[in-house]
Amino acid sequence: MPRTKEQFHAMQEESRAEIVQAALELFAEKGFDGASVSAIAKRAGISQGLMYNYFASKDELLLAIFEKGWADVQESFRVAAEAGRERPSLFDFIENACRLTLKHQDFWRLLGSLRTQPAAIERLGERVHQFESMILQQLEAFCSASLPKLPRTEKDAPTLNPHAEARLLFALIDGICTHLVRQPDSYPLDDVLAHLKPLYHSRFL
Amino acid sequence: MPRTKEQFHAMQEESRAEIVQAALELFAEKGFDGASVSAIAKRAGISQGLMYNYFASKDELLLAIFEKGWADVQESFRVAAEAGRERPSLFDFIENACRLTLKHQDFWRLLGSLRTQPAAIERLGERVHQFESMILQQLEAFCSASLPKLPRTEKDAPTLNPHAEARLLFALIDGICTHLVRQPDSYPLDDVLAHLKPLYHSRFL
Amino acid sequence: MPRTKEQFHAMQEESRAEIVQAALELFAEKGFDGASVSAIAKRAGISQGLMYNYFASKDELLLAIFEKGWADVQESFRVAAEAGRERPSLFDFIENACRLTLKHQDFWRLLGSLRTQPAAIERLGERVHQFESMILQQLEAFCSASLPKLPRTEKDAPTLNPHAEARLLFALIDGICTHLVRQPDSYPLDDVLAHLKPLYHSRFL
Amino acid sequence: MPRTKEQFHAMQEESRAEIVQAALELFAEKGFDGASVSAIAKRAGISQGLMYNYFASKDELLLAIFEKGWADVQESFRVAAEAGRERPSLFDFIENACRLTLKHQDFWRLLGSLRTQPAAIERLGERVHQFESMILQQLEAFCSASLPKLPRTEKDAPTLNPHAEARLLFALIDGICTHLVRQPDSYPLDDVLAHLKPLYHSRFL
DNA sequence: TATGAATGAGAATTCATTCAT
DNA sequence: GATGAATGAATTCTCATTCAT
């Protein structure tokens, strides 16, 4: 009784997902170099050899993780956007980003370690850069909409620009999230956000 | 006719410094695991074996780099503090931190990758944590002195605290510096600082 | 179509045995330090790396050899004891020990070299000491049963004791076996035993 | 004020002796492979390089140790022989050998480890074999003088021969000395000798 | 003579990847 | 598909020996 093509495909996908999950955890925990293929296979409950039926190499696996992780993150943002108000405030956006980070801790941890290594970035091709660009673009869009409202003195006027503002925001969010995933249990996220809120309200409202 | 002890000592120091420099560059570029001892030796222009005359192990080398780097950073801050005004504003402090980061790019890159790896942190013992603690303490001291001046509504009053404010600042600085060392040539540091300035002036003055 | 677990297990055991045999020979010939893993692998007909599928380290391999060798020796003694008379004479015991030594030449050679190296003994933990203790105990038991029969002058009476007698016996047996395994083909074991026999008969009968 | 040739020679000899002593201690403690040249030089209080002014290689050093050690042992025997009775009994000879062993512990320990390794023996050329032969010859001479006096039954008569008897003796002495140097402090040498004495008196007197 | 820097050949060990079954 | 045996290159580290000074 041969399974249908669809069944096969579904099983494939399931197995892939299991391996990706195991690898993500281990990469996040020990870094790409520190997590051996055999450890990943063991955690995924399969043999080393089988892993190569699903992924051509350790690099391919990393790539798959990245794609999956990135898709998940985007999906989370999409869901949050739909659930929220029509047009979230910048602060809401930041808060949302931070809280979602906790949902994808392992991915952010992995991403954090990958971003430090030019070699790793090459492995992922342009993906990491694209990823950062997209975030920056989105932030810039936010800022473009808000910056005009900023009261400005004559002196700073020429230098104010959405791009730099987005950079600043990105650094802030990135910094918080980085610290957050490094101490997920003890980081005082609520307090930090509470301090951030008046800062951005005064600025953008 | 053997060299004098002084000669030996001088040569030792010179060689050590050369190795440290080579290793720092490679660690910063490829991470601790990614930079092989043989690659370090090659870049330092010596044989692999010789490295072990100067450092008992790769770990010891890392440690030496860390100590040296950290000492350099502190020295830079000390010099800047002496050169500057009596009591720098918080913004000056931030700006200073960012500009000094550029002077110690490789060290910060290395530190960035070390902070993502629990294994590496163990290698360095408590040093990394101490390092973060010291920065946080210093920021907290700044904030303690400034926060009372913040105009506060009744609602936020109970939650405002120097620790959380320091955390926020640390995230901001860390984020900027992290991005900065990753794109040392193209990062718009001046613009970002220009945007940051009014924010903190409005808050702390 | 994967192999069954039984097949794997059988293969494992076979491979392990082959490696143990190769290592035993080389350790016996060149000592633990002198026999490189690569040489062992080559003699076992496998790659270096594969050895580490079976033994976690060279030390583990040594340990496995020791356990196996010691078990074999004990088994040999057990078989000999069952096959022999109800209660063998001391001389029979000695003769048996010497002849069995030839059956386990490599093991005794290895043991001989291990016993000379404090470092190696540490590697094996208490095993080597236990091993010597067991032999001494067994000999002491023999002597305890026999010594009372010794005619003794008044002078030596106070000093005679089974422990010292066992020590003497152990030295004798150890000496013979050591020489024997060093010249397994040319050592005149029969003649030496022939000379030993009347000595111990006159003493213990 | 140039030193005389004799003075030079004396200094040379002194330095050599110091190195030999240091090396002997370390070889005895850790074995030939386990004692590094640098450790030897450090213990001798000189630089690594200088060692090669006195000995062409580590092997040469081993050889020098062997020559020196063997000469010392012979000298000890000579002195003991002169100090003792005109013709010592076999037992006296054995006792003397054991007690002298303690005086040359390190040498015997080294010898013990060398004798287990064919490779090491090759390094020393024929010397180890010669050394054993000489001992055996001396023992055989003893036995030749004494064996005729042995009361013999008709049965053992054909097999008794000085060579085998010497082998037996050698094994005994070797065994005792080996155990002795392995536990120089706790070995009950006096007791063991006390047990040995009647054995050999009954046989040879 | 005397120094310690320097080398290079190995040592043990790990690991991504391939392969026979 | 699925297994784990097998490989070989790379890694960290050690050490006898040589060399410039």
Side-chain angles (χ1 to χ4, degrees), chain D residues 129-187:
Chain D
H129 290 313
Q130 283 171 15
F131 158 79
E132 295 192 357
S133 298
M134 285 180 64
I135 293 180
L136 265 177
Q137 275 174 24
Q138 205 161 353
L139 289 173
E140 208 169 324
F142 257 112
C143 294
S144 291
S146 307
L147 271 186
K149 301 175 196 159
L150 282 186
R152 44 180 79 184
T153 66
E154 261 129 56
K155 255 177 60 195
D156 66 7
T159 60
L160 278 186
N161 65 66
H163 183 67
E165 185 76 18
R167 279 267 170 205
L168 183 58
L169 260 175
F170 187 27
L172 183 62
I173 298 174
D174 210 357
I176 294 175
C177 292
T178 301
H179 293 175
L180 181 58
V181 295
R182 221 172 277 154
Q183 315 182 3
D185 297 322
S186 59
Y187 193 81

Side-chain angles (χ1 to χ4, degrees), chain C residues 44-65:
Chain C
I46 60 172
S47 68
Q48 258 193 84
L50 186 51
M51 211 219 72
Y52 290 87
N53 276 19
Y54 295 97
F55 301 95
S57 68
K58 202 184 175 189
D59 278 16
E60 289 274 337
L61 174 57
L62 176 62
L63 215 131
I65 289 177

Side-chain angles (χ1 to χ4, degrees), chain A residues 28-34 109 112-113 115-119 121 129 132 147 150 156 159-165 167-168 170-172 174-176 178-179 182-183 186-188 191-192 194-196 198-200 202-203, chain B residues 28-34 109 112-113 115-119 121 132 147 150 156 159-165 167-168 170-172 174-176 178-179 182-183 186-188 191-196 198-200 202-203:
Chain A
E29 197 176 318
K30 314 192 180 213
F32 182 76
D33 289 328
R109 259 192 286 268
S113 76
R115 289 203 295 169
T116 64
Q117 294 187 17
I121 293 178
H129 290 312
E132 296 192 358
L147 272 185
L150 280 186
D156 66 8
T159 61
L160 277 188
N161 66 66
H163 183 66
E165 184 76 17
R167 278 269 172 204
L168 183 58
F170 187 27
L172 181 63
D174 210 356
I176 294 175
T178 301
H179 293 175
R182 222 172 277 152
Q183 314 180 6
S186 59
Y187 193 81
D191 289 352
V192 170
H195 280 244
L196 178 61
L199 207 69
Y200 263 85
S202 72
R203 189 169 182 78
Chain B
E29 195 176 319
K30 315 197 177 204
F32 182 77
D33 288 328
R109 262 191 284 268
S113 79
R115 291 203 292 171
T116 65
Q117 294 187 10
I121 292 178
E132 297 193 358
L147 270 187
L150 283 185
D156 66 6
T159 60
L160 277 187
N161 65 66
H163 183 67
E165 184 75 19
R167 279 269 172 204
L168 182 58
F170 186 27
L172 182 62
D174 209 357
I176 294 175
T178 300
H179 292 174
R182 221 172 278 151
Q183 312 181 5
S186 58
Y187 192 83
D191 289 353
V192 170
L193 286 175
H195 279 247
L196 177 60
L199 207 68
Y200 263 86
S202 73
R203 186 169 184 77

Side-chain angles (χ1 to χ4, degrees), chain D residues 1-2 9 24 35 60 89 114 126 184 191 198:
Chain D
M1 194 188 317
H9 193 70
L24 175 54
E60 290 276 335
S89 71
L114 292 179
E126 283 301 299
D191 288 352

Side-chain angles (χ1 to χ4, degrees), chain C residues 90-109:
Chain C
L90 185 51
F91 176 77
D92 289 339
F93 179 82
I94 296 176
E95 175 166 18
N96 192 29
C98 293
R99 301 216 182 274
L100 284 180
T101 296
L102 275 176
K103 262 191 67 178
H104 305 288
Q105 280 183 53
D106 284 334
F107 177 66
W108 288 109
R109 262 191 284 266

